[in-house]
Amino acid sequence: GESVGLHLPTLSVQEGDNSIINCAYSNSASDYFIWYKQESGKGPQFIIDIRSNMDKRQGQRVTVLLNKTVKHLSLQIAATQPGDSAVYFCAESRPGTYKYIFGTGTRLKVLA
Amino acid sequence: SQTIHQWPATLVQPVGSPLSLECTVEGTSNPNLYWYRQAAGRGLQLLFYSVGIGQISSEVPQNLSASRPQDRQFILSSKKLLLSDSGFYLCAWSQDSLSTDTQYFGPGTRLTVL
């Protein structure tokens, strides 16, 4: 499969524990943020998004937290499962541009 | 629901050969379309984006080109491949004309240039 993230930071968690993946974004003008999950050899899969007028958003087993003061974004995965093993990366977007700025990613390894 | 397709899934080409990668989107009209390249150990690099038929914006000067012959079709091409063109090519679409819309990715094409 695709050798994405050969030298990525790795987070190892026990199955059933909660995972927290962090991302520092670069531009204080960014108003939209997304988390993607990418499994080996596959395209990135949308997980959850949040706009800058919110500081927390919840999905199914996932929560995204946004701290605009320190330009920090986090993804929390509850009750981590083996199927959650993948590379996770964040993206930010600013008004008036088509471009996303992508983080380099974090590899999540779920230990049985 | 919307779906995005890319083909081929994998491709091995010799240096100097031409390239054509295709991306199609179903279930939506007038999407924004994007081509990205993902090199091993690196993040996503935006190559081209398109907001409509025949409208292509290039982000990175290189020996690649893109075309949008139909509303939901986006093609990435090269006349002569270089070794450095190897990588994982991803097509994405978004619904609206504003950047603050979610981009959804296709399954990708793994290109190896030998």
Side-chain angles (χ1 to χ4, degrees):
Chain A
E2 168 60 24
S3 54
V4 167
L6 288 176
H7 305 291
L8 291 177
T10 299
L11 174 66
S12 298
V13 298
Q14 288 293 135
E15 181 179 355
D17 287 352
N18 296 335
S19 303
I20 300 176
I21 301 172
N22 297 303
C23 180
Y25 65 93
S26 60
N27 196 311
S28 57
S30 294
D31 67 347
Y32 182 59
F33 306 88
I34 301 178
W35 280 101
Y36 288 97
K37 171 187 178 183
Q38 188 173 24
E39 297 175 87
S40 182
K42 297 183 178 181
Q45 176 188 358
F46 168 82
I47 302 174
I48 192 167
D49 59 359
I50 189 168
R51 298 191 184 270
S52 58
N53 60 350
M54 303 173 69
D55 53 23
K56 180 179 180 179
R57 191 165 187 220
Q58 289 183 292
Q60 187 177 12
R61 279 201 310 118
V62 294
T63 301
V64 56
L65 298 178
L66 175 63
N67 185 329
K68 295 180 285 292
T69 302
V70 295
K71 293 190 288 185
H72 183 266
L73 192 68
S74 69
L75 176 70
Q76 300 178 3
I77 305 173
T80 311
Q81 303 170 359
D84 295 327
S85 293
V87 173
Y88 291 81
F89 56 92
C90 63
E92 60 180 295
S93 176
R94 300 190 305 276
T97 175
Y98 298 103
K99 300 180 189 179
Y100 281 10
I101 300 172
F102 290 92
T104 52
T106 298
R107 182 179 303 281
L108 176 65
K109 286 188 176 180
V110 181
L111 308 173
Chain B
S1 64
Q2 299 86 5
T3 54
I4 179 169
H5 305 279
Q6 287 185 246
W7 62 89
T10 60
L11 190 60
V12 180
Q13 292 284 91
V15 169
S17 63
L19 173 74
S20 181
L21 303 182
E22 190 165 344
C23 170
T24 58
V25 181
E26 297 177 353
T28 187
S29 59
N30 197 33
N32 292 340
L33 296 171
Y34 310 83
W35 276 113
Y36 289 90
R37 177 169 56 207
Q38 188 175 39
R42 297 190 175 185
L44 291 163
Q45 179 188 33
L46 179 62
L47 303 175
F48 301 94
Y49 68 89
S50 171
V51 300
I53 296 174
Q55 301 178 62
I56 309 294
S57 295
S58 174
E59 289 295 306
V60 182
Q62 56 208 321
N63 71 321
L64 297 172
S65 62
S67 62
R68 185 170 177 173
Q70 300 180 45
D71 180 44
R72 290 169 289 176
Q73 184 184 31
F74 205 22
I75 297 173
L76 183 68
S77 303
S78 174
K79 293 182 180 177
K80 289 186 178 181
L81 283 168
L82 306 173
L83 287 174
S84 58
D85 291 324
S86 293
F88 194 47
Y89 287 83
L90 290 157
C91 181
W93 74 274
S94 65
Q95 184 64 60
D96 210 58
S97 61
L98 301 175
S99 65
T100 53
D101 253 324
T102 307
Q103 290 185 21
Y104 297 95
F105 288 86
T109 295
R110 171 78 157 154
L111 172 65
T112 302
V113 182
L114 301 175

